[in-house]
Amino acid sequence: MAKVLTAQSEDFPRWYQDVVTKAQLAENGPAKGTQVIRPSGFALWERMVDEMDDRIKETGTENASFPLLIPESYFQREANHVEGFAPELWMVTHGGGKELEEPLAVRPTSETVIGEYMSKWVKSYRDLPLLLNQWCNVMRYELRTRLFLRSSEFLWQEGHTVHATYEDAHAFTLRILHDVYADFMENVLALPVLRGIKTEAERFAGALNTFAVESLMRDGKALQMGTSHELGENFAKAFDIQYLGADGKQHFGWTTSWGTSTRMVGGLIMGHGDDNGLRVPPRLAPVQAHVMVVKDSDEVHTAARKVYEELKGDGVRVKLDLRGDIAFGRRAVDAELKGYPVRIEIGPRDLKNGEATLVSRVEGTKQTIPLGMLAEAVATALDADQQVLWDEALEFREERTADAATVEEAVEAAQTGYARLAWDRCGVEGEAKAAESGVTVRVLQRADGSVPDSLDEDGLIAYLARAY
């Protein structure tokens, strides 16, 4: 495998690019910063969408679709928002061969256009809460791009809600953070995440507060995996989102927005991958079990199909590979690269003995299993692999988290992982100083690890790291 991928220890960015390319996940698009997501990569995203969408709908949120093109004037209504996104906007100035009367922005996010329609749909307290989500693509201008992690165009979900009170909006913001994002990332992606509040410097443009989930990659850098924003009344006032309350008076709504993107595919690669390629958690994997024939024969094909049908009947996401005309080693390497959790190899010798070889991608073990016990063995292996990936990622994060007493110590510790520093010893000045060395405050937590309600709380702990 050393000939297939650059080793992580040798050159992590090159390793990452090798995996994306050789596992056939994605490649650069024709326009700068765009990406073509290939079927293997898109299958991972589809599974993420399925899992996330279920959790989003459990909150009562409904999916909708809004326009890609947004009039420039919409962005001018919320000053902080337009100031935050102005450098990243892509603008359309011509259509049908003519200059447009008003330039149109390609959505970088949809607060402005959705706010416009929320103002039409919300009239009474009986219309609240209004809970919307859309799955779409967005565009933001980027100078330096990297597939999945930072591209000019990417896929994501963006949720937008209106609530009658600050308390309801705040609670919903945190519900998304915990019950949707963190639950999915930890229980499906098997990636432990830090949950916390962003500093003012890292806050979403126009928000009161931004809450985030961050995960540590295998090179010791942090990756922001998702954010949930408490927007207060800022956007409601800009877009006149008002409702008639039960008291007979007009009130502005309290809004939220929240999102995750195809950046999570990059997090999956860097959070679990090894020198042989991807390692995909079984609960996420589009292909959980890969049934392969070692050599062609009618008997082997029949046995492989029978195993395939049995596993499929048990609800396992299974793939059947009967391509005996392609070298077995080449197919096995491809399965390793793509991170299929278990591989079931069946050849003439195995069949003669009434057994098959079960290979675990995560632990790298091989077992000889009687054909009649394969289904049970696969189920056991998938459960074990999910747990191993979680345990390894959690242990890695704990080993790479160090306490610091000063900003200087935090910057040094952040070269290999998280630095934990009392926020009152860091503060805004310390944050700016750390940023000069490429280290940022990822989130703030309470001393007990819980998520603060605001930046005003005393005794907060800052987690600093280098980040993507």
Side-chain angles (χ1 to χ4, degrees), residues 108-293:
T109 178
S110 299
E111 275 78 7
T112 56
V113 67
I114 293 179
E116 175 77 9
Y117 284 86
M118 283 177 161
S119 70
K120 296 179 180 181
W121 299 342
V122 172
K123 298 301 179 185
S124 163
Y125 69 93
R126 296 183 182 89
D127 299 325
L128 300 176
L130 178 60
L131 312 175
L132 301 173
N133 177 67
Q134 75 167 338
W135 295 93
C136 63
N137 62 335
V138 294
M139 291 195 69
R140 299 177 186 177
Y141 187 81
E142 296 284 356
L143 286 174
R144 296 178 180 84
T145 60
R146 186 178 297 182
L147 292 170
F148 291 120
L149 298 176
R150 190 172 294 278
S151 54
S152 293
E153 181 183 15
F154 53 91
L155 305 178
W156 79 343
Q157 59 76 208
E158 51 176 315
H160 301 269
T161 69
V162 188
H163 303 262
T165 66
Y166 164 79
E167 290 76 14
D168 286 349
H170 177 74
F172 197 83
T173 304
L174 293 179
R175 183 179 181 186
I176 292 296
L177 188 79
H178 296 301
D179 297 349
V180 177
Y181 293 166
D183 181 76
F184 164 69
M185 292 164 192
E186 296 189 337
N187 290 311
V188 179
L189 293 187
L191 288 172
V193 292
L194 287 179
R195 315 174 194 192
I197 191 170
K198 288 287 191 179
T199 65
E200 188 173 348
E202 297 286 325
R203 182 187 296 162
F204 179 71
L208 288 185
N209 287 302
T210 289
F211 301 93
V213 279
E214 303 262 341
S215 189
L216 194 65
M217 304 294 98
R218 290 167 71 88
D219 63 346
K221 288 185 179 180
L223 182 70
Q224 180 177 286
M225 299 280 283
T227 50
S228 188
H229 311 293
E230 194 174 19
L231 302 178
E233 294 178 304
N234 292 346
F235 283 86
K237 289 179 177 177
F239 290 90
D240 196 29
I241 305 173
Q242 295 192 57
Y243 68 93
L244 183 65
D247 58 3
K249 298 179 181 179
Q250 288 292 124
H251 302 271
F252 285 106
W254 297 81
T255 65
T256 78
S257 69
W258 27 277
T260 55
S261 74
T262 38
R263 167 175 275 222
M264 290 190 296
V265 179
L268 171 72
I269 298 166
M270 297 191 298
H272 291 311
D274 63 15
D275 286 348
N276 291 339
L278 283 171
R279 294 193 304 169
V280 183
R283 290 178 192 165
L284 177 79
V287 176
Q288 295 174 311
H290 189 211
V291 180
M292 303 175 63
V293 298

Side-chain angles (χ1 to χ4, degrees), residues 24 106 154 180 291 350 365:
Q24 300 178 336
V106 181
F154 53 91
V180 177
V291 180
D350 301 299
T365 57

Side-chain angles (χ1 to χ4, degrees), residues 40-60:
S40 293
F42 199 77
L44 293 169
W45 175 241
E46 284 183 308
R47 286 284 306 133
M48 292 179 181
V49 170
D50 288 346
E51 291 282 348
M52 292 275 292
D53 200 54
D54 286 345
R55 286 165 172 77
I56 289 170
K57 287 174 179 172
E58 279 292 317
T59 69

Side-chain angles (χ1 to χ4, degrees), residues 43-44 47-48 51 184 186-191 268 272 278-289 315-318 338-343 359-363 377-391:
L44 293 169
R47 286 284 306 133
M48 292 179 181
E51 291 282 348
F184 164 69
E186 296 189 337
N187 290 311
V188 179
L189 293 187
L191 288 172
L268 171 72
H272 291 311
L278 283 171
R279 294 193 304 169
V280 183
R283 290 178 192 165
L284 177 79
V287 176
Q288 295 174 311
V316 177
R317 294 187 290 276
V318 60
K338 292 177 179 176
Y340 301 151
V342 298
R343 211 164 63 237
V359 184
S360 166
R361 171 66 182 89
V362 173
E363 300 196 75
V378 167
T380 299
L382 293 177
D383 287 343
D385 286 355
Q386 184 79 27
Q387 189 64 47
V388 167
L389 286 174
W390 167 261
D391 291 343

